[in-house]
Amino acid sequence: PGGPTRMTRFPLLSMAASLRAIPTRVILEEIQRRVFCVDKEEKRVILVGPPGCGKGTQAPKIVDNYCLCHLATGDMLRAAVTSGSKMGKEAKKIMDAGKLVSDDVVVGIIKENLDREDCKIGVVFDGFPRTVKQAEMLDEVLKSRGEGIDGVIQMDVPDELLHARITGRYIHKASGRSYHTEFNPPKVAGKDDVTGEPLIQRSDDKPDNVARRLATFREQTEPVIAYYAAQGKVVKVNADQSIDAVWTDITASMDKVGRA
């Protein structure tokens, strides 16, 4: 009497067995993370910037320092398809047919993710919204939850510098090791440092495609920045600095986000 019922006891036993399989160090790190996150302020922010601006470097640091979850469109779509969720099945059907996933499906997947435990304190939206229509749909979803976008961190770099950053990137296909002709060159030009195998350049990083990607960003995403700027929510960060200097500016911006 008073103890766990038969119905609740088995899930608890199953959870305990699962925990035993996890290394103690990992459990302690998770406990430390949760203690660190207890008093963190709720924040829902959009990280936006053109290809090559450094979002991929800075987003994980924002996630870790502010205890937010990271919702990136591509990752969410892949995870939803793998999980077999309702929206994931819908997305798979569309992608298998060679079509673009509709805004309704993408927003539906975002709604599924917002209920994740790690999204309770807040979210970094990365790569979404890409259009004003998507921004309006996202605002409606958040409004229905009594939430809203607190700020937009705009990582700003001139196109000519972005072009040099992106077109200089090369990778070793088998390992994923990446190099840059100027910022991180291989010991031998065109060769992987470890294997000596030839490096390749992704098709997206070739000059003609870079110009197209930047033009698409300006055409589609700059109206999104204007949409949130009209609400007084955009903070511009100069991303043409060292990684540490950019991070310093981002933390200064993040500390202001959400405050009255």
Side-chain angles (χ1 to χ4, degrees), residues 48-55 130 155-169 203-223 225:
V48 64
C53 72
K55 281 195 297 111
R130 292 180 185 272
M155 296 182 65
D156 188 49
V157 185
D159 278 5
E160 58 270 22
L161 295 177
L162 290 170
H163 198 275
R165 281 189 187 185
I166 299 171
T167 56
R169 295 194 299 208
S203 59
D204 275 357
D205 293 343
K206 292 181 178 176
D208 288 349
N209 289 333
V210 169
R212 175 185 53 78
R213 289 169 68 198
L214 291 175
T216 299
F217 172 81
R218 299 299 180 201
E219 180 184 342
Q220 288 190 340
T221 311
E222 289 203 335
I225 296 170

Side-chain angles (χ1 to χ4, degrees), residues 4 66 71 103 115 171 219 227:
Y66 294 92
L71 297 186
D103 289 343
D115 289 326
I171 63 167
E219 180 184 342
Y227 171 81

Side-chain angles (χ1 to χ4, degrees), residues 5-6 11 19 26 28 36 41 49 72 77 89 125 130-131 143 148 176 195 199 210-211:
T5 66
R6 180 182 175 86
L19 284 172
V26 174
L28 289 174
F36 172 73
E41 181 184 1
L77 281 170
K89 288 176 182 175
F125 293 100
R130 292 180 185 272
T131 65
K143 185 179 177 182
T195 65
L199 302 176
V210 169

Side-chain angles (χ1 to χ4, degrees), residues 61-82:
K61 297 167 77 170
I62 296 173
V63 168
D64 290 342
N65 275 266
Y66 294 92
C67 300
L68 309 178
C69 72
H70 183 211
L71 297 186
T73 314
D75 294 342
M76 281 189 297
L77 281 170
R78 286 187 289 273
V81 169
T82 302

Side-chain angles (χ1 to χ4, degrees), residues 44-47 148-153 228 232-235 257-258:
R44 289 164 188 85
V45 301
I46 297 168
L47 185 63
I149 293 298
D150 296 303
V152 177
I153 308 296
Y228 285 110
K233 293 181 177 179
V234 176
V235 183
V257 162

Side-chain angles (χ1 to χ4, degrees), residues 35-206:
V35 170
F36 172 73
C37 293
V38 163
D39 296 321
K40 289 292 183 180
E41 181 184 1
E42 285 192 21
K43 293 178 189 287
R44 289 164 188 85
V45 301
I46 297 168
L47 185 63
V48 64
C53 72
K55 281 195 297 111
T57 299
Q58 301 296 344
K61 297 167 77 170
I62 296 173
V63 168
D64 290 342
N65 275 266
Y66 294 92
C67 300
L68 309 178
C69 72
H70 183 211
L71 297 186
T73 314
D75 294 342
M76 281 189 297
L77 281 170
R78 286 187 289 273
V81 169
T82 302
S83 73
S85 70
K86 179 182 176 183
M87 299 310 300
K89 288 176 182 175
E90 187 65 28
K92 187 176 188 304
K93 241 190 295 184
I94 295 167
M95 289 190 290
D96 286 348
K99 298 177 182 176
L100 289 174
V101 178
S102 68
D103 289 343
D104 287 336
V105 172
V106 174
V107 171
I109 290 172
I110 285 173
K111 287 171 73 173
E112 288 180 344
N113 279 270
L114 288 173
D115 289 326
R116 281 169 24 191
E117 182 62 32
D118 62 328
C119 294
K120 293 293 168 64
I121 292 178
V123 185
V124 178
F125 293 100
D126 181 357
F128 186 90
R130 292 180 185 272
T131 65
V132 172
K133 181 187 175 186
Q134 290 180 350
E136 291 170 343
M137 293 174 75
L138 177 61
D139 281 352
E140 283 300 313
V141 168
L142 294 175
K143 185 179 177 182
S144 71
R145 301 166 58 92
E147 300 165 355
I149 293 298
D150 296 303
V152 177
I153 308 296
Q154 179 189 359
M155 296 182 65
D156 188 49
V157 185
D159 278 5
E160 58 270 22
L161 295 177
L162 290 170
H163 198 275
R165 281 189 187 185
I166 299 171
T167 56
R169 295 194 299 208
Y170 286 81
I171 63 167
H172 177 240
K173 189 173 182 180
S175 67
R177 280 184 289 274
S178 61
Y179 300 88
H180 192 281
T181 51
E182 182 179 352
F183 307 118
N184 181 34
K187 293 172 184 174
V188 177
K191 304 285 186 182
D192 176 51
D193 286 352
V194 178
T195 65
E197 293 172 348
L199 302 176
I200 64 166
Q201 188 174 44
R202 295 188 317 164
S203 59
D204 275 357
D205 293 343
K206 292 181 178 176

